[in-house]
Amino acid sequence: MSQQAQQMLDRHRETLDQAVEAITTRGFWSPYPENLKKYPEEAVKGAPQRFEALLKQPFSLVKAPAVAGQVGAEVSPYGFELGVTYDQPEQAGLIKAMQAAMPAWRDAGAEARVGVCLEVLARLNAMSPDLAQAVMHTSGQAPMMAFQAGGPHAQDRGLEAVAYAWQAMSRVPATAKWVKPQGKHDPLVLDKRYHIVPRGISLVVSCSTFPTWNTYPGLLASLATGNPVILKPHPGAILPLAMTARVAQEVLEEAGFDPCLVSLVPDSAEAPVAKQLALDPAVKLIDFTGSSAFGDWLIDNARQARVFAEKAGINSVIIDSVDNLKAVAQNLAFTLSLYSGQMCTTTQAIYVPKGGIETAEGPLSFDEVAAALARAVETFLSDNDRACAVLGALQSPATAARIDECRGLGEILLDSEPREHAQFPGARVHTPLLLKVDASQRDAYGEERFGPISFVIATDSTDHSIQLAREVIGEKGAITLGAYTTDDEVAERFETLAIEVAVPLSLNLDGGVFVNQSAAFSDFHATGGNPAANASLSDQTFVTPRFVVVQSRRHGQPE
Amino acid sequence: MSQQAQQMLDRHRETLDQAVEAITTRGFWSPYPENLKKYPEEAVKGAPQRFEALLKQPFSLVKAPAVAGQVGAEVSPYGFELGVTYDQPEQAGLIKAMQAAMPAWRDAGAEARVGVCLEVLARLNAMSPDLAQAVMHTSGQAPMMAFQAGGPHAQDRGLEAVAYAWQAMSRVPATAKWVKPQGKHDPLVLDKRYHIVPRGISLVVSCSTFPTWNTYPGLLASLATGNPVILKPHPGAILPLAMTARVAQEVLEEAGFDPCLVSLVPDSAEAPVAKQLALDPAVKLIDFTGSSAFGDWLIDNARQARVFAEKAGINSVIIDSVDNLKAVAQNLAFTLSLYSGQMCTTTQAIYVPKGGIETAEGPLSFDEVAAALARAVETFLSDNDRACAVLGALQSPATAARIDECRGLGEILLDSEPREHAQFPGARVHTPLLLKVDASQRDAYGEERFGPISFVIATDSTDHSIQLAREVIGEKGAITLGAYTTDDEVAERFETLAIEVAVPLSLNLDGGVFVNQSAAFSDFHATGGNPAANASLSDQTFVTPRFVVVQSRRHGQPE
C-alpha cells in the first residue's frame, strides 16, 4: 500500500471503526458536525466570497482526460447565472483513461482505497461551508439546509457507504490455507488467494435537488470497492460535484493514484450525455436519482450494468387518530414546507377518514383536520424571513408551472403564493399548495406531483386509507410513510402495511423529527423493495454487487 | 419463535457458528461427511431397496396445493424408466397458497427460519445414501459421485448459503434507540424497529446433471431470508428434489409452519412450465442452472425478479510449462473423465503453444503434450470398472449425439467410445473425445460443447494462449480456469488474467485436487463477474438481494 494511503487510513481509522459499529447498532452517530458553529469562523464567513470568486470563469479539475469542449449554464434559483464553465471529456477517450487507471486502484487493496475515501470525506467536510454555497445556488435549498444536507449529512451518507463497503470487503480473507485430511495419507493442502475485483466503470447520474447527498453513496461505494467513477451531474447542478471531483482527484493524486479515477462529465440540457454514457459496455454500475421515466429507461436499457435507481413515488401519511392535532399539524406543516416539497421524502398524499378522527380533546371532522393542516402551514410561513429560510427556492421553473397546473385537481385548502426573498429578489420562492380530494380522485393524488403540492384525501375509514396506500404505493412506490394513531392495534396494522409495501414507517411524529428526514447510520433511506427505488442508501445490497471475488489456489505445504 | 424452531436452532447452533466462521476464514471444513463409512451401515446398504420401493408409483409430498394433474417420465441414464409420478400444482392456486403462508414465515424471524433450514439440512444429510440413488438414476452420476456431490457436498453448499444469510440478517438489529443531543434541550429520542422482509416467491429452476448441488444454495438462501420457494426440477431429474421438498415440508410442519413454503412444480419436456412460472408477477427471485439460452431468456424477460443464473461457459486450461507432464496429464485425465465431462466446471479448451513446452526433463513438442494427455485419459479408463465408476452415464441422449457431431471439428487425439456397464447393461456410457485444433478454429472450441468433448488448441505462444483465453472467456464466460507454469512471472500473469476475466484460477494442480472440483466454505463457485454466471455460489451478493429491511420509528424515552 502506498505510504500516503496508509497514513490516510491511519488518520481516519477510528472514524471507520465507529462507522462500522454505527451501521450495526444504528443509534445516533455522526463524525461530521451539522452545527455551523463547529466549523472555523473564517471557513463559514468567507464562503460567500469564495463562491463569488468561482463564478463567471472556467472551473478546473486536477485532471480531465480527452477534453472535447466546454459546457456550463447553471442558473441559481435565487436569480442569477453562475457563469461557470467546465471541461467536457469525450466519452471513449475518458473511459480508456479510466480503464487504464483501474488496475492500480484495484490492486492497491481495500485498505488503501478506504483510506483515500475517508480522506476525501474529511476534506469535503472541512469545506462544507463552500459546498453549501454551491448547493444553495444550484438546488435552491435555503442556506441552512444547503449546509447540512449538502455538507455533513451528505458526507455521513458517503461514509455510511464506505463503512458497508469496508465491512463487506473485510469478510473476504486475502489468503487461506485449505488442509483436507486424507486418513492415513498426507493431507491435501492448497494455498488460496482471494482478490476483490471491481465490476468496471461506475456512473453516477445525479439530480439537481440534492447534488451531493444523492451522489456520495454511489460515488463512495463504487470507489471503495475499486471501481473508477464518472460523475454525471444534472446540468443545473454541476458545481457541487465539480468541487467534489476536484477534492477526490487531489487526494487520489497525493496517494499516488491517477486522479481520473473520479472524473466529471458535465453536459447541457440541450445535449444530454447520460444515455450514451449509460450504454457504454465499459459501464458496469449506474447510480441514479431522478425521474421514474429515466430510472426505468436505465433499468430497461443499460442491461450491461447493475442499476441502483431512486425514482419517484407517492409518499404518504395516514391519519387515524391523534393525541394533539395541533402538534401533528405543526409537524406536517414543516414537512410540507421544507425545501418547498422538493425532497424525495416529502409527503404528497395525506389520508384522513371523511367521518373525521378521534383526538384527546374529542372527535374532529375531516374538514377540521384539513383546515388545521392548512392553517398550520399558513401560520408557519407567516413570517416571510422564516418562510424563505425553510422553503428555499424552486430549483426548476417547471416546478413553479406545475403548481399552477395542479390547482384544478382538487378543492384548494391552502393556495400557493410567491414570496419575495429579502436578499435575492429574483429568487423563485413559492409556498405550498394543499388540495382536498376524494379517495376516488386517484388520478390527482396517485401521480407524483413533484414540488410543494399535497393532497388531503377523504377516505371511508382508516381501513380504506390503508387499502388505498397499499394500492398506490404498490403501484407507484414511496420512500416515506407516516402514520398517526392512538390505538396500538391500528399501529400494528400500520407496521404491517409498511412491511408489505416495503416503506419505512414514521409513527406519530409530532415533535422535532419529521417524516421527510432520515438519519445516516440509523435510518435506511428507501428500502429497494417498492417501485420508488430498487436500492437503499445504504445497506449491504448497495455495496456487495459492486465487486466480485476472484480466487486462485495452488498446492501448498501444511503449516 | 415456535418452540420447535427454537429447539432446531439450539440443536444446530454450533454447526451454524462454525459455518459462519468457515465462510470467513475459508479453510477446509464440512459438517457432512463425504465418507460413506461415516453413515450407518443400514442407511447405506438399504438405499437401493428403498429406491426400488419408490419406483412405479406416485410420490407424495406432505402438502401440494392446487393439484391439477400428474407428471413424471424420468428415465435412468442407466437404462430403465423410473415410473414415478408427481402432483403438478396449478400455478395461480399454488402461488396464492404460498403467499398466504409467507407472513407467518417472515414474521417468525431469522432465528426460527435458520433453525428450520439447519434441521432440513441435517435430515437431508442423514438420508444421503437415498438421495444418492435418486441422483444417480436421474443425472447419470456414478454411485460415489452421486453420493458425495448429491449428498454432503450439496448440503455443504446449502449450509454455506444459510451461513451467508444468517450473517447478513444478523447485521441488522431488531431494534435501536436513537438519541440525538440537542444542546441544552432534551435530546430527540426515537425507538426504531427493523424488519427483515423477503422479496416474495422464489423460484429455483434446476438442471438434470446436479439436481441437488445446484438447487440447495438458492433454496436455502431464499428460505432462510423468508421467501417461499418453488422448486421446478428438470423433467429428467425430479425425484431428488421431490425427496428434498418432502423433507423440507416435514420440518416446516413440525416447526408449526405451512409445508407449502417449499413446493414442487414438476413438469414434462413436452409441456414445460418454467417460463410461465418465471413471468408470474409474484415471483421475485429466480435461481437457475442450465443453458445460456434459457438463462439469458430469464434475465431478459423475468424483469420483475432478481435472477441468479449459472449458464454455460468455456472452461479453460493454459499450459505454459510443467515440472512433470505425466502428473499433469493424469490430473487432467481425471478432470476430463469425471462424470463424462458433464460438470459445469469441466475443462473444454486446453491451450498449448504449438512450439511445445518446457518440462523438468527438457522440452516437449505440442504433439507430445497432446499425445500425453490422450494417453493419460486412455490409460486411466483402460480398466472398464474404474471407467464406469468415474464416467457415470450421459444424462441425455443429446450429449451422446453431440459427441458424434463434434468428431469432425478437429483432428482426433482420442476418440470417444461407448462402454458396457457391468451392472446396468443399458447405461449410456461414453469415454471422452479429445480433439486437436488450431487457435484459428475458434468456432470449434469457442462454443460450449457440453459433455465429454475437449480441445487441445495450438497457439503461437503462452502470450497468445492468454490472449485467446481472455477473448473467449470475455465473450462466453467460464467457471474454471486452470494453468500450468514453472515460471513465477508467468504465474502472476495467469493470476492477472484470472482477475481480469473474473474466473477462479487453479494453478499447477498435479495431485489429488482437480480444476473441476470446488470445496464449499473455501472455494467460491463461479464469481458472477463473467458471462458464465451472474452469481457466485455462495457469496454475500448471493443472499443480500433476497430481502430488504423495513424500519419503523416513533418517539421514545431516553434509557
Side-chain angles (χ1 to χ4, degrees):
Chain A
M1 172 157 43
S2 87
Q3 197 186 329
Q4 293 79 2
Q6 179 69 61
Q7 285 170 352
M8 291 172 183
L9 183 64
D10 292 346
R11 196 177 312 148
H12 304 294
R13 186 69 202 221
E14 195 181 332
T15 301
L16 178 63
D17 292 343
Q18 288 176 341
V20 171
E21 171 74 11
I23 58 173
T24 308
T25 54
R26 305 200 80 80
F28 171 80
W29 182 75
S30 167
Y32 307 124
E34 65 175 18
N35 184 345
L36 254 178
K37 292 179 184 157
K38 299 284 174 71
Y39 293 76
E41 196 178 331
E42 200 294 308
V44 176
K45 286 211 169 147
Q49 292 97 305
R50 287 192 300 276
F51 172 70
E52 289 276 345
L54 291 174
L55 304 181
K56 298 175 189 156
Q57 60 186 295
F59 184 99
S60 292
L61 298 179
V62 176
K63 183 177 179 184
V67 172
Q70 309 292 317
V71 295
E74 292 155 292
V75 179
S76 170
Y78 290 90
F80 58 91
E81 293 181 1
L82 270 56
V84 186
T85 58
Y86 308 88
D87 290 336
Q88 187 183 46
E90 178 272 316
Q91 182 167 332
L94 174 67
I95 284 180
K96 198 172 164 193
M98 295 178 78
Q99 285 181 316
M102 180 159 57
W105 184 240
R106 173 190 75 206
D107 296 345
E111 296 202 340
R113 292 194 302 267
V114 166
V116 166
C117 287
L118 294 170
E119 178 66 18
V120 169
L121 285 165
R123 293 196 197 177
L124 289 172
N125 180 246
M127 62 188 279
S128 293
D130 291 13
L131 285 164
Q133 291 290 316
V135 168
M136 174 181 171
H137 289 297
T138 50
S139 71
Q141 290 176 22
M144 184 52 70
M145 184 175 183
F147 169 73
Q148 292 186 335
H153 294 176
Q155 294 141 18
D156 279 342
R157 287 290 180 189
L159 176 58
E160 187 180 52
V162 173
Y164 273 110
W166 174 252
Q167 189 185 52
M169 292 189 291
S170 300
R171 265 175 246 123
V172 181
T175 62
K177 194 174 274 291
W178 182 84
V179 183
K180 183 175 181 178
Q182 297 292 298
K184 290 170 290 190
H185 302 286
D186 287 343
L188 294 172
V189 181
L190 291 176
D191 286 332
K192 304 191 180 187
R193 300 183 196 170
Y194 303 91
H195 305 281
I196 304 284
V197 175
R199 289 281 181 181
I201 306 289
S202 176
L203 171 66
V204 184
V205 180
S206 303
C207 63
S208 57
T209 46
F210 287 89
T212 58
W213 198 96
N214 269 318
T215 296
Y216 288 1
L219 164 63
L220 274 302
S222 279
L223 198 61
T225 51
N227 305 277
V229 180
I230 295 174
L231 298 178
K232 209 304 286 175
H234 188 282
I238 301 171
L239 186 58
L241 295 189
M243 294 166 72
T244 299
R246 184 152 75 185
V247 169
Q249 291 194 342
E250 285 167 357
V251 176
L252 283 162
E253 187 168 57
E254 284 177 38
F257 298 103
D258 192 325
C260 84
L261 285 163
V262 174
S263 285
L264 186 76
V265 182
D267 62 357
S268 64
E270 297 72 35
V273 301
K275 285 189 178 182
Q276 193 183 326
L277 280 169
L279 297 179
D280 196 296
V283 169
K284 298 297 187 189
L285 298 165
I286 299 176
D287 288 272
F288 169 72
T289 312
S291 71
S292 292
F294 195 62
D296 292 338
W297 184 91
L298 286 170
I299 292 168
D300 287 344
N301 291 279
R303 305 300 308 279
Q304 85 291 350
R306 173 79 175 81
V307 178
F308 302 83
E310 190 194 310
K311 303 174 286 181
I314 312 295
N315 298 316
S316 306
V317 161
I318 302 174
I319 303 179
D320 169 70
S321 51
V322 301
D323 264 337
N324 177 347
L325 183 63
K326 193 174 170 193
V328 171
Q330 284 175 344
N331 183 281
L332 290 175
F334 183 80
T335 290
L336 299 181
S337 303
L338 186 63
Y339 188 30
S340 314
Q342 296 171 97
M343 300 176 72
C344 56
T345 51
T346 303
T347 304
Q348 174 176 311
I350 302 170
Y351 297 96
V352 180
K354 61 186 171 198
I357 65 169
E358 293 295 327
T359 78
E361 292 160 356
L364 289 173
S365 72
F366 175 91
D367 284 335
E368 285 170 317
V369 174
L373 285 172
R375 202 166 45 243
V377 176
E378 195 171 18
T379 306
F380 181 57
L381 300 177
S382 59
D383 179 298
N384 194 55
D385 284 349
R386 178 163 80 178
C388 289
V390 172
L391 293 167
L394 296 183
Q395 202 281 328
S396 162
T399 304
R402 191 174 303 110
I403 297 174
D404 290 337
E405 292 157 16
C406 290
R407 272 204 181 81
L409 292 177
E411 179 187 328
I412 293 176
L413 291 166
L414 179 69
D415 202 358
S416 171
E417 60 184 28
R419 289 290 180 90
E420 184 87 1
H421 195 287
Q423 188 186 353
F424 298 101
R428 196 182 297 119
V429 183
H430 294 259
T431 64
L433 173 68
L434 193 60
L435 298 167
K436 169 182 167 181
V437 292
D438 186 73
S440 62
Q441 295 173 263
R442 205 186 289 190
D443 285 353
Y445 66 83
E447 295 293 328
E448 194 202 37
R449 311 290 180 182
F450 185 78
I453 302 155
S454 300
F455 301 85
V456 185
I457 304 152
T459 69
D460 296 342
S461 61
T462 292
D463 273 352
H464 190 210
S465 298
I466 290 174
Q467 178 198 325
L468 288 169
R470 177 180 284 115
E471 290 172 9
V472 170
I473 297 174
E475 187 190 346
K476 304 284 179 156
I479 291 179
T480 60
L481 172 66
Y484 292 90
T485 184
T486 56
D487 182 327
D488 288 348
E489 189 273 326
V490 176
E492 280 311 303
R493 280 157 58 207
F494 288 144
E495 191 97 10
T496 299
L497 170 67
I499 289 170
E500 288 179 358
V501 296
V503 182
L505 172 68
S506 293
L507 189 71
N508 293 334
L509 296 187
D510 59 3
V513 181
F514 306 93
V515 68
N516 54 330
Q517 294 185 322
S518 77
F521 307 105
S522 182
D523 292 324
F524 292 99
H525 177 77
T527 66
N530 72 59
N534 72 352
S536 172
L537 305 184
S538 289
D539 63 7
Q540 299 176 80
T541 309
F542 188 71
V543 299
T544 61
R546 295 176 196 261
F547 66 89
V548 300
V549 180
V550 176
Q551 66 169 85
S552 68
R553 56 185 189 174
R554 63 204 77 197
H555 294 297
Q557 297 301 318
E559 268 171 337
Chain B
M1 171 159 40
S2 87
Q3 197 185 333
Q4 293 79 1
Q6 179 69 60
Q7 286 170 352
M8 290 172 184
L9 183 64
D10 292 347
R11 197 178 309 148
H12 304 295
R13 185 70 202 221
E14 195 180 335
T15 301
L16 178 62
D17 291 344
Q18 288 176 340
V20 170
E21 171 74 11
I23 57 172
T24 308
T25 55
R26 305 201 79 81
F28 171 80
W29 182 75
S30 168
Y32 307 124
E34 64 175 17
N35 183 346
L36 256 178
K37 292 180 184 156
K38 298 284 175 71
Y39 293 75
E41 197 177 332
E42 200 295 308
V44 176
K45 286 210 171 146
Q49 292 97 303
R50 287 192 298 275
F51 171 70
E52 289 277 347
L54 291 174
L55 304 182
K56 297 174 191 158
Q57 59 185 298
F59 184 98
S60 292
L61 298 178
V62 175
K63 182 174 179 183
V67 173
Q70 309 291 315
V71 295
E74 293 157 290
V75 179
S76 170
Y78 289 91
F80 57 92
E81 294 180 1
L82 270 57
V84 187
T85 57
Y86 308 88
D87 290 336
Q88 187 183 46
E90 177 272 316
Q91 182 167 330
L94 174 67
I95 284 181
K96 199 173 164 193
M98 295 178 78
Q99 285 181 316
M102 180 160 59
W105 184 238
R106 173 191 75 203
D107 297 343
E111 296 202 342
R113 292 193 302 265
V114 166
V116 166
C117 288
L118 294 170
E119 178 66 18
V120 169
L121 285 165
R123 294 197 196 177
L124 289 172
N125 181 245
M127 62 186 282
S128 294
D130 290 13
L131 285 164
Q133 291 290 316
V135 169
M136 174 180 171
H137 288 297
T138 50
S139 71
Q141 290 176 23
M144 183 53 70
M145 185 175 181
F147 169 73
Q148 292 187 335
H153 293 176
Q155 295 141 18
D156 279 343
R157 287 291 180 189
L159 176 58
E160 188 180 53
V162 173
Y164 272 110
W166 174 251
Q167 189 186 52
M169 293 189 290
S170 301
R171 266 176 244 123
V172 181
T175 61
K177 193 173 275 291
W178 182 85
V179 183
K180 182 175 181 177
Q182 298 292 297
K184 288 170 290 187
H185 302 285
D186 285 344
L188 295 171
V189 182
L190 291 175
D191 285 332
K192 304 193 180 186
R193 301 183 195 170
Y194 303 90
H195 305 280
I196 304 284
V197 176
R199 288 279 181 181
I201 306 288
S202 176
L203 171 67
V204 184
V205 180
S206 304
C207 64
S208 58
T209 46
F210 286 90
T212 56
W213 198 97
N214 270 318
T215 297
Y216 288 1
L219 164 64
L220 274 302
S222 278
L223 198 61
T225 51
N227 305 278
V229 180
I230 295 174
L231 298 178
K232 209 305 285 175
H234 188 283
I238 301 171
L239 186 58
L241 294 189
M243 294 167 72
T244 299
R246 185 153 74 186
V247 169
Q249 291 194 341
E250 286 167 358
V251 176
L252 282 163
E253 187 169 58
E254 284 178 37
F257 298 103
D258 191 324
C260 83
L261 286 163
V262 175
S263 285
L264 186 77
V265 181
D267 63 355
S268 65
E270 297 72 36
V273 301
K275 285 189 178 183
Q276 194 184 324
L277 280 169
L279 297 180
D280 195 295
V283 169
K284 299 296 188 188
L285 298 165
I286 300 176
D287 289 271
F288 168 72
T289 312
S291 71
S292 292
F294 195 61
D296 291 338
W297 184 90
L298 286 170
I299 291 168
D300 288 344
N301 291 280
R303 304 301 306 282
Q304 85 290 353
R306 173 81 175 80
V307 179
F308 302 84
E310 190 193 313
K311 304 173 287 181
I314 312 295
N315 298 317
S316 306
V317 161
I318 302 174
I319 304 180
D320 168 72
S321 52
V322 301
D323 263 337
N324 177 346
L325 183 62
K326 195 175 167 189
V328 170
Q330 284 174 344
N331 183 280
L332 291 175
F334 183 80
T335 290
L336 300 180
S337 301
L338 185 63
Y339 188 31
S340 312
Q342 296 171 99
M343 300 176 71
C344 56
T345 51
T346 303
T347 305
Q348 173 175 310
I350 302 170
Y351 297 96
V352 179
K354 63 186 169 197
I357 66 169
E358 293 295 328
T359 78
E361 292 161 355
L364 289 173
S365 72
F366 174 91
D367 284 335
E368 285 171 317
V369 174
L373 284 172
R375 201 165 48 244
V377 176
E378 195 170 18
T379 305
F380 180 57
L381 300 177
S382 58
D383 178 298
N384 194 56
D385 285 348
R386 178 162 81 178
C388 288
V390 171
L391 292 168
L394 295 184
Q395 201 282 329
S396 162
T399 304
R402 190 174 303 111
I403 298 173
D404 289 338
E405 292 156 14
C406 290
R407 271 202 182 83
L409 293 176
E411 179 186 327
I412 292 176
L413 292 165
L414 179 70
D415 203 357
S416 171
E417 60 183 27
R419 289 292 179 88
E420 185 86 3
H421 195 286
Q423 188 185 350
F424 298 101
R428 196 182 298 120
V429 183
H430 293 258
T431 65
L433 172 68
L434 193 60
L435 298 166
K436 169 182 166 179
V437 293
D438 186 72
S440 62
Q441 295 172 264
R442 205 186 290 190
D443 286 352
Y445 65 84
E447 295 292 329
E448 195 202 35
R449 311 290 180 182
F450 186 77
I453 302 155
S454 299
F455 301 85
V456 185
I457 303 152
T459 69
D460 295 342
S461 62
T462 293
D463 274 352
H464 190 212
S465 298
I466 290 175
Q467 178 198 325
L468 288 169
R470 177 180 285 115
E471 291 173 9
V472 170
I473 296 173
E475 188 190 344
K476 304 284 180 155
I479 291 179
T480 61
L481 172 66
Y484 292 90
T485 184
T486 56
D487 182 328
D488 289 346
E489 189 273 324
V490 175
E492 280 311 302
R493 280 157 60 206
F494 288 143
E495 191 97 11
T496 299
L497 170 66
I499 289 170
E500 289 179 357
V501 295
V503 182
L505 172 68
S506 293
L507 188 71
N508 293 334
L509 296 187
D510 59 3
V513 181
F514 307 93
V515 68
N516 54 329
Q517 295 185 322
S518 76
F521 307 104
S522 182
D523 292 324
F524 292 98
H525 176 77
T527 67
N530 72 60
N534 72 353
S536 173
L537 306 183
S538 289
D539 62 8
Q540 300 176 78
T541 309
F542 189 71
V543 299
T544 60
R546 295 176 196 261
F547 66 90
V548 300
V549 180
V550 176
Q551 65 169 84
S552 68
R553 55 183 189 174
R554 63 203 77 195
H555 294 298
Q557 298 301 320
E559 269 171 337

